[in-house]
């Protein structure tokens, strides 16, 4: 998921932007473990970082609509959201995609 698209994420309920306060760049540890200082970060109720029990970093989309769809798709009501692929698919990618 290309961070350059983050300023265009809107809430399906309110139509408001889901960015974190402003368009300032944030320091983020990406899925590949590299730290970048040039990432536009979505709010924690939209994009959440995590680390598996075996140490693999990942990000997931956790909006209410995505949570419902993921839970229904996988018949698992404990899912918090939909996980993104935990590797970069291009040089601009920090969070994974698909």
């Amino acid at each position: 998921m290309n961070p350059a698209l983050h300023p265009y994420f809107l809430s399906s309920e309110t139509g408001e932007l889901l960015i974190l306060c402003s368009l300032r760049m944030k320091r983020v540890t990406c899925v590949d473990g590299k730290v970048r200082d040039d990432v536009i970060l979505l709010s924690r109720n939209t994009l959440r970082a995590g680390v598996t029990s075996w140490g693999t970093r990942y990000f997931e989309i956790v909006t209410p609509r995505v949570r419902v769809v993921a839970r229904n798709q996988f018949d698992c009501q404990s899912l918090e959201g939909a996980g993104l692929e935990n590797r970069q698919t291009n040089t601009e990618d920090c969070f994974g995609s698909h």
Side-chain angles (χ1 to χ4, degrees), residues 49-73:
V51 179
T52 66
S53 59
W54 56 90
T56 303
R57 179 171 292 282
Y58 67 91
F59 288 89
E60 59 185 347
I61 303 293
V62 294
T63 61
R65 180 164 296 183
V66 170
R67 181 180 298 118
V68 167
V69 170
R71 287 176 175 180
N72 291 341
Q73 175 67 30

Side-chain angles (χ1 to χ4, degrees), residues 31-32 52 56-59 84-88 95-97:
V31 291
D32 62 359
T52 66
T56 303
R57 179 171 292 282
Y58 67 91
F59 288 89
L84 298 171
E85 188 174 24
N86 65 345
R87 64 176 175 225
Q88 290 179 303
F95 306 113
S97 60

